């Protein structure tokens, strides 16, 4: 799976919870928190993304990510393993 | 042989604070309020502590026992993350003020919010071992918030309460499915109490760990219980509830993962199976190791038990340790618990103004951990004391003298 595929899957999950962002660019340096996602929303976005990618990664692996770019990097790294 | 909860009671304190008011007056972002799904929280008085709360929870169920049954309590475990001494367990004071038999093991258990479940499981195993046939065990889960969280986003959800659980081979309230346990524990630094006055950590990491452990402990449960299904097996659910929004998110997570349910079905399922257990927690706040058992009380008081119902329970304690287990409640369970009047006790709490609340926080802070000598000055809280406690025969803290804590009946 390539980086773009992972990013697009994450973006779709974000838009599922925040459809209002459909027409806006989401930068890799932005954080889900800054986009208005609370802790429960953020966990859901990750879960939906992993479901779509067929990944099984413990949620705690994502706690160190400080922005969306880092989330994509972690997801991509795990997708390469499977 | 069956085992489980013979009696249970929750002590929910004497005062409450409206959470929306707290958000407004502290200038917290109201956008975060809805996610909490909380209405009120319980606030301790300076004459209350984890010992008084535990005794006040246990007294009604102990008083209802015959002398013979009371004397068969041979194990008293207190679970707390609000301990008062590094060596001497809270069980010693609780044992004394409840007038229990000296033929009893007394000790304290600590593993954050998992402590109550750890104690319940050890008590159940003691009963089932038949090492002392007919013996009962008393479990107290008792916790209070640390004052220093004032002005943070932790402040709204922190409460204080105690739940007393009598465990025996006559489980009138809740019969455990003995052996149907899935547990999951590992090291993670999510939240902790590294200093006597603070609770700290990463609440976001804690939510993620909570979710991972819910899935892992349920998977282990499913390995041990043939045909276990997250939706079909459990008529109701009760989870450790730091705040209601977390339970809602966790339930949604599990339904999508295990049942591939639509958003609509998930919402209906949540309202039916999980909502009843949240009614009391959203009035009291996070009470740490006692929370899951307050949720169970709420469930038994509010569920439809025209026929016996199986409940799936999830316990999580930061650091971390978790467990998914189950049991059965009946109409008789509901009748017995109703007589304790927990719902009424909640509405009887004095509703604090913000000024009263801030004053209580300051008074509570004077009873810092490790205090050697101090006498309770009731004049500071006379109005609330006269209204809520005077003549009610509740245990209150009188003084600390050379480190020993002395209590009296109000």
């Amino acid at each position: 799976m390539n980086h773009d595929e992972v990013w697009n899957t994450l973006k779709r999950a974000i838009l599922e919870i925040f459809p209002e962002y459909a027409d806006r660019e989401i930068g890799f340096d932005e954080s889900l928190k800054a986009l208005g996602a609370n802790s429960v929303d953020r966990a859901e976005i990750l879960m939906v993304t992993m479901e779509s990618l067929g990944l099984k990664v413990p949620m705690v692996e994502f706690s160190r990510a400080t922005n969306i770019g880092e989330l994509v990097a972690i997801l991509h790294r795990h997708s390469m393993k499977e | 042989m069956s085992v489980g909860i013979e009696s249970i009671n929750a002590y929910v304190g004497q005062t409450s604070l409206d959470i929306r008011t707290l958000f407004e007056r502290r200038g917290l972002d109201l956008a975060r309020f809805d996610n909490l799904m909380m209405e009120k929280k319980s606030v301790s008085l300076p004459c209350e502590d984890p010992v008084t709360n535990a005794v006040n929870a246990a007294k009604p169920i102990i008083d209802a026992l015959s002398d013979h049954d009371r004397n068969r309590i041979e194990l008293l475990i207190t679970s707390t993350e609000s301990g008062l001494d590094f060596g001497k367990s809270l069980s010693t004071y609780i044992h004394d003020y409840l007038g229990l038999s000296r033929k009893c093991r007394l000790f304290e258990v600590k593993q954050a919010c998992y402590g109550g479940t750890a104690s319940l499981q050890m008590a159940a195993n003691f009963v089932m071992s038949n090492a002392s046939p007919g013996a009962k065990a008393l479990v107290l889960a008792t916790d209070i918030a640390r004052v220093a969280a004032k002005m943070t986003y932790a402040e709204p959800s922190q409460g204080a309460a105690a739940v007393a659980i009598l465990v025996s081979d006559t489980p009138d309230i809740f019969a455990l499915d003995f052996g149907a346990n899935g547990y999951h524990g590992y090291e993670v630094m999510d939240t902790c109490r590294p200093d006597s006055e603070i609770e700290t950590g990463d609440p976001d990491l804690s939510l993620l760990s909570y979710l991972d452990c819910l899935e892992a402990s349920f998977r282990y449960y499913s390995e041990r219980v043939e045909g276990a299904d997250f939706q079909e097996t459990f008529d109701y659910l009760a989870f450790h509830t730091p705040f209601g929004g977390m339970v809602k998110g966790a339930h949604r997570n599990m339904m999508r993962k295990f049942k591939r349910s639509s958003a609509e079905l998930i919402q209906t399922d949540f309202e039916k199976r999980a909502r009843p257990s949240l009614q009391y927690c959203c009035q009291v706040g996070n009470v740490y190791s006692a929370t899951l058992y307050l949720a169970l009380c709420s469930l038994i008081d509010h569920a439809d038990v025209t026929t016996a119902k199986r409940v799936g329970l999830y316990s999580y304690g930061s650091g971390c340790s978790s467990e998914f287990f189950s049991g059965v409640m009946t109409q008789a369970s509901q009748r017995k618990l109703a007589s304790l009047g927990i719902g009424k006790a909640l509405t009887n709490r004095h509703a604090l103004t913000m000024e009263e609340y801030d004053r209580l926080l300051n008074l509570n802070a004077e009873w810092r951990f490790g205090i050697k000598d101090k006498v309770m000055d009731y004049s500071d809280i006379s109005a609330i004391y006269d209204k809520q406690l005077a003549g009610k025969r509740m245990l209150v803290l009188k003084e600390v003298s050379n480190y020993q804590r002395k209590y009296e009946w109000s």
Side-chain angles (χ1 to χ4, degrees), chain B residues 54-71:
Chain B
V55 170
N56 291 332
K59 194 130 184 13
I61 66 182
I62 298 299
D63 285 351
L65 295 174
S66 64
D67 286 348
H68 170 268
D69 281 359
R70 194 177 64 251
N71 290 332

Side-chain angles (χ1 to χ4, degrees), chain A residues 39 42 44 47 59-60, chain B residues 204 207-208 212 252-253 256:
Chain A
S39 59
R42 297 195 296 275
E44 172 130 2
M47 193 220 75
M59 297 282 237
V60 292
Chain B
D204 295 339
L207 170 64
L208 298 178
D212 280 340
R252 189 161 65 243
N253 221 357
R256 283 195 69 141

Side-chain angles (χ1 to χ4, degrees), chain A:
Chain A
M1 188 155 314
N2 71 39
H3 192 268
D4 276 349
E5 275 172 281
V6 174
W7 165 224
N8 285 329
T9 312
L10 177 63
K11 200 158 41 160
R12 267 199 305 279
I14 295 172
L15 294 181
E16 215 179 281
I17 311 235
F18 295 101
E20 61 264 36
Y21 289 128
D23 297 326
R24 163 205 192 296
E25 279 293 313
I26 300 175
F28 275 7
D29 57 348
E30 291 185 82
S31 72
L32 290 178
K33 207 183 240 182
L35 290 180
N38 62 40
S39 59
V40 176
D41 291 333
R42 297 195 296 275
E44 172 130 2
I45 287 168
L46 285 170
M47 193 220 75
V48 166
T49 305
M50 287 198 280
E51 199 178 81
S52 307
L53 294 173
L55 286 181
K56 280 195 196 322
V57 180
M59 297 282 237
V60 292
E61 297 267 321
F62 299 97
S63 69
R64 269 188 298 274
T66 59
N67 60 37
I68 287 169
E70 287 173 21
L71 283 176
V72 175
I74 297 170
L75 286 161
H76 185 232
R77 195 170 64 239
H78 281 281
S79 75
M80 304 279 274
K81 287 183 196 169
E82 306 208 357

Side-chain angles (χ1 to χ4, degrees), chain B residues 180-374:
Chain B
N181 307 78
Y183 22 85
H184 191 75
Y186 68 104
E187 196 280 327
V188 60
M189 193 57 164
D190 53 330
T191 75
C192 54
R193 293 193 181 194
D195 177 297
S196 60
E197 299 310 310
I198 63 171
E199 288 171 56
T200 188
D202 182 348
D204 295 339
L205 174 58
S206 203
L207 170 64
L208 298 178
S209 183
Y210 177 102
L211 294 171
D212 280 340
C213 285
L214 173 55
E215 183 181 346
S217 61
F218 177 68
R219 282 193 193 281
Y220 186 25
Y221 176 97
S222 311
E223 281 172 36
R224 296 172 68 163
V225 179
E226 201 180 330
D229 180 278
F230 186 72
Q231 189 170 26
E232 301 308 317
T233 304
F234 314 108
D235 301 294
Y236 289 98
L237 298 167
F239 290 177
H240 170 55
T241 308
F243 57 93
M246 195 151 154
V247 173
K248 190 155 194 216
H251 166 266
R252 189 161 65 243
N253 221 357
M254 293 294 278
M255 289 297 284
R256 283 195 69 141
K257 209 166 266 200
F258 287 90
K259 305 299 294 182
R260 300 241 181 272
S261 296
S262 68
E264 247 170 56
L265 281 175
I266 290 174
Q267 178 64 20
T268 313
D269 189 77
F270 173 78
E271 290 301 324
K272 176 167 161 243
R273 294 199 301 146
R275 176 72 73 177
S277 72
L278 297 181
Q279 314 288 38
Y280 291 166
C281 293
C282 77
Q283 298 288 324
V284 177
N286 183 2
V287 289
Y288 312 94
S289 69
T291 311
L292 173 58
Y293 300 96
L294 181 63
L296 180 61
C297 288
S298 178
L299 175 61
I300 296 173
D301 271 347
H302 293 97
D304 169 10
V305 275
T306 42
T307 53
K309 295 281 156 73
R310 172 159 278 107
V311 184
L313 297 107
Y314 171 60
S315 177
Y316 175 81
S318 291
C320 73
S321 187
S322 70
E323 186 157 342
F324 194 98
F325 60 110
S326 60
V328 176
M329 60 181 177
T330 65
Q331 207 162 51
S333 313
Q334 194 172 71
R335 268 199 303 271
K336 186 171 182 178
L337 186 60
S339 66
L340 276 309
I342 298 170
K344 185 148 171 273
L346 284 166
T347 48
N348 279 352
R349 291 172 302 171
H350 168 76
L352 297 166
T353 63
M354 274 302 292
E355 291 69 33
E356 283 176 321
Y357 170 67
D358 277 327
R359 197 159 50 83
L360 279 184
L361 288 187
N362 291 340
L363 291 171
N364 288 344
E366 289 175 13
W367 292 87
R368 55 179 172 74
F369 179 88
I371 202 157
K372 188 176 179 194
D373 296 287
K374 188 171 169 67

